[in-house]
């Protein structure tokens, strides 16, 4: 029996708003279904084909004048002051050396980089790197001097180079480190590590109060710098700090053989399997422990009502505190009347929210009992098919398989633009401001030679590169984003269909003991075989909405410096509207997939059925949403915190001497267990929603003796029938058989 909220006459009389009908031979979700929305599945395949064609064009496999061939090295390698990409451009500099043979970027004092062959590793004040034209002039002067009778080429070279250094056009060779094609001076890295170590030591001294004159015993084995974090159980090692031992800059240097990063890498190698084992295996096991725990009689109800009461208490306490604060401020001469009235009315507002929360809970209190029953039944279904929680792993693999070619194509596409030279300057406030921008006629993607032209920045600024793209490249990028949105949402939709098919099969099985992981595998095969087109249809809608939001974000970026406030406000409003549309469609899609899983409907029919089912059971769905949110959040926190705690305790007891920084693998376990809990919750949440729709379908389609509900849900249907017999408002087309149902001694429950 379905209780309803107020609907319009049109909604009540709509043929789509009729209660669900069960066929005489209905044997559950596994029978009597055919392929749905095949056209959308073919469209998705066509989308992948078109994406592949674009990818083959930008990688150069297929030649096309509309899109230039890309080269990922153009994104990574450095750029010289003429706009040529080091190691990529086929242009020749003033020295007649091809830039393609000079893969490293070396910065001059002016902030302008030049391309060189290798990064220098030692200081050499007798050799210089200069701007190409300056270097050409120095070489010419050197050759002329050597050819003269005096033979003073070295002196001329040194004099001209020193003069160019004063003009910021040359730079002596200094020790550098190759960082992704850029020659970064060792002195700069040393300065950064010195600043970091000084800041950390200052903080430690502050926390440890190093003016304490207490004499602390020497730790066995001495107080070497590498033992800094090991000699104390405190978060900050005050023993070492009070003895004057501090963190050195070498300790923070990423290239140090015995520094922080080297030891952290060693810790990750030592604990790699432990991190995976706890983050995935233990976290998943704790998920099942949580399911077992919430099935204990009274536990779930206590959790839900306890949280509901706690939220109400927060409203009351906060509102009351603000009221008392306003009373206190009335006697405080430093407080204005505006401040007093402001906090008073804010307190009233919060108390009002508490009152609305109370009224809302009173309206759905009986539906909350139904929601608790749905959560318990969902837990039972997952326990019956434990392999179902592993399905998100296959979804992740599917995403990774798609991402490999997609990211390759996107990298080539992004690298096919025209280089633009920009300047960035450290301002007095510490922010980085773009000083000026000059278009650089760099070598095209086809490798054409261009005339060398200098690009100059203001003194103290540094050059960097950005890319300018043609309209065709922009459209291709937008299409690639659309293909990503469609594919990722398709993988999510397919997972929701598989879970819905599995859980609904469990619900509509008389003998629940016969359901096992094999049932999930059979349901997954049927969902994949018959309804991938439906998943493609629903995901296409979400992909279109996401693409529109990307376009709006692009327009917002273009107008961010505009003085037209109306346009910026309009774009912001449209973006918010599209965000709401996306959330609503995702919710409707999820319920449509459940209808497809139960009845085998195509997407449009399933969406219509789901919409009116939601309309008829809005309070039930609200209650389930609240309860499931509470349960899922608590479950996520339990899995993550418990897994992290167990991992920390295990490493502390068994690996204390093998791990330098126990907090690093512990933090990674926490991070991985969070995503494991997310995957577990995704399946659990979908199972809860599926159980609710199965319950409604069971209630509307079958007479009491023929229903599939068991346990708490069966008792709730009996109570609902009792309420109907007493004259409660029910669905207009309620069965007379339900009104005559037995077992009607309970209170009304919707």
């Amino acid at each position: 029996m379905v209780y309803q909220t107020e609907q319009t006459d049109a909604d009540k009389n709509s043929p789509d708003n009729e209660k669900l009908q069960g066929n005489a031979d209905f044997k559950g979700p596994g029978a009597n279904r055919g392929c749905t929305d095949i056209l959308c599945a073919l469209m998705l395949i066509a989308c992948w084909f078109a994406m592949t064609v674009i990818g083959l064009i930008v990688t150069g496999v297929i030649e096309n004048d509309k899109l230039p061939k890309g080269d990922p090295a153009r994104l990574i390698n450095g750029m010289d002051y003429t706009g040529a990409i080091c190691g990529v451009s086929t242009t020749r500099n003033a020295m007649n050396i091809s830039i393609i043979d000079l893969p490293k970027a070396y910065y001059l004092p002016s902030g302008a980089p030049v391309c060189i062959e290798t990064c220098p590793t030692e200081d050499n004040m007798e050799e210089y790197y200069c701007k190409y034209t300056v270097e050409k002039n120095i070489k010419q002067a050197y050759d002329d001097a050597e050819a003269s009778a005096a033979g003073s080429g070295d002196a001329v070279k040194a004099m001209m180079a020193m003069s160019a250094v004063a003009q910021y056009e040359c730079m002596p060779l200094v020790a550098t480190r190759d960082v992704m094609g850029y020659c970064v001076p060792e002195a700069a890295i040393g300065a950064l590590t010195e600043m970091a170590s000084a800041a950390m030591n200052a903080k430690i001294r502050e926390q440890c109060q190093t003016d304490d004159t207490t004499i602390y015993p020497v730790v066995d084995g001495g107080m070497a710098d590498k033992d800094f974090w090991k000699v104390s159980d405190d978060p900050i090692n005050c023993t070492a700090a009070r003895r004057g031992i501090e963190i050195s800059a070498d300790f923070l240097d990423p290239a140090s053989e015995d520094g922080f990063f080297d030891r952290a890498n060693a810790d990750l190698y030592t604990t790699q399997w432990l991190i995976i084992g706890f983050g995935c295996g233990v976290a998943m096991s704790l998920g099942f422990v949580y399911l077992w725990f919430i099935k204990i009689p009274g536990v779930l109800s206590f959790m839900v009502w306890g949280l509901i009461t706690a939220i109400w208490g927060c409203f009351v306490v906060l509102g009351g505190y603000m009221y008392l604060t306003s009373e206190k401020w009335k006697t405080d001469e430093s407080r204005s009347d505006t401040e007093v009235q402001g906090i008073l009315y804010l307190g009233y507002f919060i108390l009002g929210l508490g009152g609305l929360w109370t009224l809302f809970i009173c309206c759905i209190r009986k539906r909350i009992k139904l929601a608790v029953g749905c959560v318990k039944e969902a837990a039972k279904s997952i326990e019956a098919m434990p392999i179902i929680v592993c399905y998100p792993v296959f979804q992740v693999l599917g995403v990774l398989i798609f991402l490999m070619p997609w990211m390759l194509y996107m990298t080539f596409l992004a690298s096919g633009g025209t280089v633009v030279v920009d300047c960035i300057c450290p301002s007095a406030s510490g922010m980085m401001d773009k000083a000026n921008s000059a278009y650089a006629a760099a070598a095209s993607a086809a490798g054409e030679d261009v005339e060398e032209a200098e690009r100059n920045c203001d003194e103290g600024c540094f050059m960097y590169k950005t890319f300018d793209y043609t309209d065709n490249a922009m459209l291709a990028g937008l299409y690639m984003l659309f293909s990503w949105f469609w594919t990722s949402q398709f993988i999510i939709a397919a997972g929701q269909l598989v879970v819905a098919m599995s859980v609904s099969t469990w619900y509509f099985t008389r003998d629940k003991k016969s359901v096992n992981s094999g049932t999930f595998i059979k349901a997954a095969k049927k969902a994949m075989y018959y309804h991938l087109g439906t998943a493609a249809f629903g995901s296409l809608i979400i992909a279109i909405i996401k693409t529109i939001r990307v376009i709006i974000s692009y327009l917002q970026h273009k107008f961010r410096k505009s003085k037209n406030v109306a346009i910026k406000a309009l774009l912001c409003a449209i973006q918010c509207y599209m965000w709401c549309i996306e959330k609503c469609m995702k919710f409707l899609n999820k319920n449509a997939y459940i209808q497809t899983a139960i009845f085998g409907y195509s997407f449009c029919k399933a969406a219509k059925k789901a919409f009116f089912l939601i309309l008829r059971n809005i309070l039930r769905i609200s209650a389930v949403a609240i309860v499931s949110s509470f349960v899922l959040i608590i479950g996520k926190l339990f899995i993550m915190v418990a897994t992290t705690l167990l991992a920390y305790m295990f490493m502390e007891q068994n690996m204390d001497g093998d791990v330098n920084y126990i907090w690093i693998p512990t933090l990674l376990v926490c991070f991985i267990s969070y995503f494991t809990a997310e995957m577990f919750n995704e399946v659990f949440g979908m199972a809860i929603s599926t159980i609710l729709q199965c319950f409604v379908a069971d209630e509307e389609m079958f007479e009491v003796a023929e229903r599939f509900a068991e346990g708490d849900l069966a008792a709730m249907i009996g109570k609902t029938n009792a309420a109907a017999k007493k004259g409660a408002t029910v669905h207009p087309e309620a069965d007379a058989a339900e009104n005559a149902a037995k077992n009607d001694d309970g209170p009304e429950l919707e």
Side-chain angles (χ1 to χ4, degrees), residues 178-303:
D178 187 351
V179 180
M180 297 184 69
Y182 290 87
C183 300
V184 180
E186 292 282 1
I189 297 175
L192 290 175
T193 55
E194 287 285 355
M195 287 190 294
S197 63
M200 295 178 68
N201 289 326
K203 185 65 176 179
I204 291 173
R205 286 193 294 270
E206 178 185 351
Q207 295 292 325
C208 294
Q209 299 177 357
T210 52
D211 56 348
D212 187 354
T213 58
T214 305
I215 302 299
Y216 293 88
V218 177
V219 177
D220 293 339
M223 295 289 291
D225 181 67
K226 66 184 181 65
D227 295 321
F228 185 90
W229 299 101
K230 288 186 173 181
V231 297
S232 173
D233 292 332
D234 296 332
I236 293 180
N237 191 336
C238 292
T239 303
R242 289 165 183 166
R243 294 188 60 81
I245 297 177
E246 298 184 333
I247 300 175
S248 66
D250 289 339
F251 182 73
L252 299 178
D253 191 336
S256 175
E257 293 185 359
D258 196 30
F260 171 79
F261 294 96
D262 188 62
R263 295 186 205 174
N265 186 59
D267 289 344
L268 295 180
Y269 181 81
T270 302
T271 60
Q272 55 183 323
W273 295 112
L274 184 144
I275 292 171
I276 296 174
F278 273 91
C280 297
V282 174
M284 194 66 71
S285 300
L286 288 173
F288 284 103
V289 170
Y290 180 67
L291 293 182
W292 169 82
F293 179 72
I294 62 177
K295 289 195 308 177
I296 298 176
V299 170
L300 184 57
S301 297
F302 176 79
M303 287 171 50

Side-chain angles (χ1 to χ4, degrees), residues 16 129 136 191 222 288 325 402 432 445 507 511 518:
D16 294 310
Y129 286 122
K136 179 181 178 180
F288 284 103
T325 301
F402 174 80
M432 304 301 287
Y507 184 94
D511 183 12

Side-chain angles (χ1 to χ4, degrees), residues 432-451:
M432 304 301 287
D433 302 320
K434 188 177 295 185
N436 58 59
S437 177
Y439 183 81
S444 68
E448 299 177 355
D449 291 345
V450 296
E451 182 180 355

Side-chain angles (χ1 to χ4, degrees), residues 458-727:
D458 294 340
E459 183 178 341
C461 300
F462 296 89
M463 286 185 179
Y464 72 100
K465 64 177 182 290
T466 59
F467 289 88
D468 190 24
Y469 299 98
T470 63
D471 291 341
N472 287 333
M474 295 285 287
L475 291 174
L478 183 63
Y479 179 81
M480 294 294 287
L481 279 176
F482 169 77
S483 66
W484 157 247
F485 291 146
W486 194 358
T487 303
S488 60
Q489 292 301 314
F490 168 75
I491 293 173
I492 293 173
Q496 291 176 331
L497 262 171
V498 168
V499 173
M501 180 85 71
S502 304
V503 174
S504 58
T505 300
W506 173 87
Y507 184 94
F508 288 107
T509 299
R510 298 290 182 187
D511 183 12
K512 298 291 193 291
K513 294 181 180 180
S514 64
V515 177
N516 51 39
S517 293
T519 305
F520 163 77
I521 296 174
K522 293 177 181 178
K525 289 180 179 179
K526 289 181 179 179
M528 294 293 183
Y529 184 81
Y530 291 110
H531 303 303
L532 285 183
T534 298
F537 198 155
S539 57
L540 172 61
I541 297 174
I542 303 300
I544 292 173
I545 296 173
K546 282 182 170 291
T547 304
I548 294 173
R549 292 190 62 198
V550 167
I551 296 173
I552 297 171
S553 296
Y554 174 76
L555 294 175
Q556 287 179 305
H557 176 76
K558 297 292 286 185
F559 284 98
R560 71 186 188 281
K561 294 183 178 180
S562 172
K563 296 181 180 180
N564 193 326
V565 179
I567 291 180
K568 294 198 287 187
L570 178 62
L571 289 173
C572 182
I574 295 175
Q575 186 71 280
C576 293
Y577 173 76
M578 294 305 299
W579 179 85
C580 294
I581 292 295
E582 181 183 343
K583 294 299 181 182
C584 292
M585 284 308 305
K586 283 183 176 180
F587 179 74
L588 182 61
N589 281 7
K590 182 177 73 171
N591 287 277
Y593 298 147
I594 298 173
Q595 287 286 305
T596 298
I598 299 174
F599 301 105
Y601 295 149
S602 63
F603 179 80
C604 289
K605 184 175 181 179
K608 286 192 296 183
K609 293 289 186 180
F611 176 80
F612 284 104
L613 184 143
I614 293 170
L615 193 63
R616 295 197 302 271
N617 298 272
I618 188 66
L619 292 181
R620 285 177 166 179
I621 292 174
S622 299
V624 170
I626 292 173
V627 172
S628 62
S629 296
F630 288 161
V631 172
L632 295 177
I633 291 173
I634 294 174
K636 184 189 300 182
L637 292 175
F638 169 75
I639 293 172
M640 184 176 66
V641 173
T643 301
T644 305
L645 178 62
L646 290 175
Y648 176 81
M649 293 173 62
F650 179 86
M651 286 186 286
E652 185 184 35
Q653 295 295 324
N654 299 280
M655 305 184 69
D656 185 45
D658 301 325
V659 179
N660 295 289
Y661 315 116
I662 195 173
W663 61 270
I664 292 179
T666 301
L667 189 63
L668 274 179
V669 167
C670 180
F671 182 77
I672 296 175
S673 64
Y674 171 83
F675 285 99
T676 302
E678 279 284 352
M679 291 192 298
F680 189 89
N681 277 1
E682 180 68 24
V683 174
F684 193 19
M686 189 66 187
I688 294 171
S689 299
T690 303
I691 289 294
L692 175 61
Q693 285 207 33
C694 289
F695 172 80
V696 174
D698 194 16
E699 191 180 46
E700 293 186 351
M701 289 165 51
F702 302 105
E703 295 185 359
V704 178
E706 299 174 353
R707 288 173 179 159
F708 291 83
E710 296 181 354
D712 293 340
L713 291 183
M716 290 172 189
I717 291 181
K719 293 178 180 180
T720 304
N721 292 330
K725 188 174 181 180
K726 294 178 181 179

